[in-house]
């Protein structure tokens, strides 16, 4: 499960790396599958960088199943940003990256899928990185909200863990 995926209070559960500024900001994206009307509530995290900095936040996920595919998702928007935002997951079979996007004022979903190894142990972890690569023109701000993870089973169904873990076999 993602710790503090909505960034409603602060960045507890996340660790910053190689970055100029990380703060929470008013306004966020309301959950998965919302329309383009961007229903805002609460807060998001604001990543502020300069042309010379590349970095962001990461969180580690342990206790995962062996040889299982996991989908990581966030919502992203930006203010005067000319660089790229992408997700990176490392620690599984290989490091994987989402497509790099240049966020704008509208909220956009960014997704990446990673697979654990067949000899995975409960002590192993996948590391999700929220990465910002600022453009040559200098500083910019990227807003990230509603980080979530779900496992994808053999038939393609998701065991949703957004924003909390739900047992997909529970019919209640």
């Amino acid at each position: 499960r993602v710790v503090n995926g909505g960034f409603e209070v602060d960045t507890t559960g996340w660790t910053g790396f190689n970055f100029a500024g990380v703060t929470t900001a008013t306004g966020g994206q309301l959950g998965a599958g919302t329309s383009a009307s961007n229903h805002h509530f609460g807060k998001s995290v604001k990543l502020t960088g300069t042309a010379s900095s590349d970095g962001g936040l990461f969180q580690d996920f342990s206790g995962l199943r062996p040889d299982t595919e996991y989908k990581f998702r966030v919502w992203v928007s930006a203010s005067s940003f000319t660089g790229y935002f992408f997700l990176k997951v490392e620690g599984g079979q290989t490091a994987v990256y989402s497509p790099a996007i240049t966020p704008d004022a509208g909220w956009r979903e960014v997704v990446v899928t990673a697979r654990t190894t067949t000899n995975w142990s409960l002590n192993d972890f996948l590391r999700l990185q929220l990465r910002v690569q600022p453009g040559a023109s200098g500083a910019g701000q990227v807003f990230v909200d509603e980080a979530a993870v779900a496992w994808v089973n053999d038939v393609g169904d998701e065991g949703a863990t957004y924003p909390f873990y739900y047992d997909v076999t529970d019919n209640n």
Side-chain angles (χ1 to χ4, degrees), residues 107-128:
W107 287 96
R108 294 174 61 184
E109 184 179 39
V110 179
V111 177
V112 66
T113 303
R115 179 173 286 281
T116 56
T117 61
T118 55
N119 60 347
W120 196 262
S121 78
L122 291 178
N123 294 325
D124 292 333
F125 62 89
L126 291 179
R127 174 169 287 170
L128 171 65

Side-chain angles (χ1 to χ4, degrees), residues 83-102:
Y84 298 100
F85 174 86
F86 59 96
L87 299 176
K88 177 182 179 183
V89 178
E90 56 189 2
Q93 290 180 343
T94 61
V96 291
Y97 301 82
S98 69
I101 65 164
T102 299

Side-chain angles (χ1 to χ4, degrees), residues 152-169:
V152 181
N153 73 17
D154 293 339
V155 294
D157 294 331
E158 294 181 1
T161 56
Y162 165 78
F164 304 104
Y165 177 80
Y166 295 98
D167 183 352
V168 295
T169 61

Side-chain angles (χ1 to χ4, degrees), residues 22-52:
V22 177
T23 59
T24 55
T26 302
Q29 171 66 27
L30 177 61
T34 58
S35 69
S37 62
N38 297 325
H39 304 281
H40 295 270
F41 78 103
K43 293 185 178 180
S44 59
V45 67
K46 177 173 66 173
L47 306 174
T48 304
T50 66
S52 62

